[in-house]
Amino acid sequence: MGSSGFPVICLLHSMIALTCGALMMFYTNEVCVFGHGEETASKLQGSTLHDQLLIHTSDSFSGLLLFAIGFLLFMVAFVKDRKFQSFFAKGCVLLHLLMAFWRIYFERKLEDLARDMPRLVVGDVALALSWVFFLVYSWREKYD
């Protein structure tokens, strides 16, 4: 039997990923303006029509990937095996921390994205902490 917190965390992360992925696929420009501001968003759109098409296609595929991850999280939320839940949570912690490291190491070098980097790193660490809290809670359930 699995932990009761696992489906809650998975469904919460799933809803976040599904929503963000759908917005990235269908409202790319608006999401970019909301996330980075008007000035930075205009710089990130590309200068030529070909660049704009490539960037829009890339953003749409990134949104599709995020949507697929959200769907995968939705399916995983109903797995009852405690060992799998622990393994999956550890993988999610590692993934979120690697994403934060990537942002610190690479995005700070891009002057247009460096302004948003601390906020995004805090978000990645917060998502990782939600899985850490689950691991601590499940460890407490296991040994109490």
Side-chain angles (χ1 to χ4, degrees):
M1 188 67 187
S3 177
S4 61
F6 185 77
V8 173
I9 294 174
C10 276
L11 290 174
L12 178 65
H13 284 245
S14 173
M15 295 314 299
I16 292 169
L18 288 170
T19 304
C20 291
L23 289 174
M24 284 176 66
M25 283 189 293
F26 300 115
Y27 299 102
T28 304
N29 296 332
E30 291 82 357
V31 169
C32 192
V33 169
F34 180 74
H36 299 291
E38 186 72 40
E39 181 183 339
T40 305
S42 65
K43 291 179 184 177
L44 294 175
Q45 294 304 314
S47 56
T48 67
L49 189 59
H50 186 261
D51 289 345
Q52 291 173 357
L53 181 63
L54 285 174
I55 291 169
H56 186 71
T57 304
S58 173
D59 287 344
S60 293
F61 277 125
S62 297
L64 181 63
L65 178 63
L66 194 56
F67 191 84
I69 290 170
F71 189 66
L72 177 71
L73 279 166
F74 180 77
M75 291 188 297
V76 167
F78 301 104
V79 174
K80 301 287 187 206
D81 184 26
R82 186 181 299 267
K83 283 187 178 183
F84 175 79
Q85 289 177 352
S86 176
F87 173 76
F88 188 81
K90 289 173 188 173
C92 288
V93 169
L94 179 66
L95 183 69
H96 287 298
L97 291 178
L98 286 174
M99 187 65 195
F101 174 74
W102 180 84
R103 288 186 197 279
I104 291 168
Y105 189 72
F106 291 107
E107 281 191 15
R108 70 179 166 84
K109 294 178 182 178
L110 302 172
E111 63 185 50
D112 291 332
L113 298 177
R115 180 177 55 93
D116 298 324
M117 190 258 313
R119 176 178 52 95
L120 297 172
V121 168
V122 167
D124 290 329
V125 171
L127 289 171
L129 280 176
S130 68
W131 289 109
V132 169
F133 289 143
F134 163 74
L135 288 170
V136 169
Y137 180 75
S138 64
W139 178 76
R140 191 180 62 113
E141 276 183 348
K142 183 179 178 181
Y143 292 108
D144 278 349

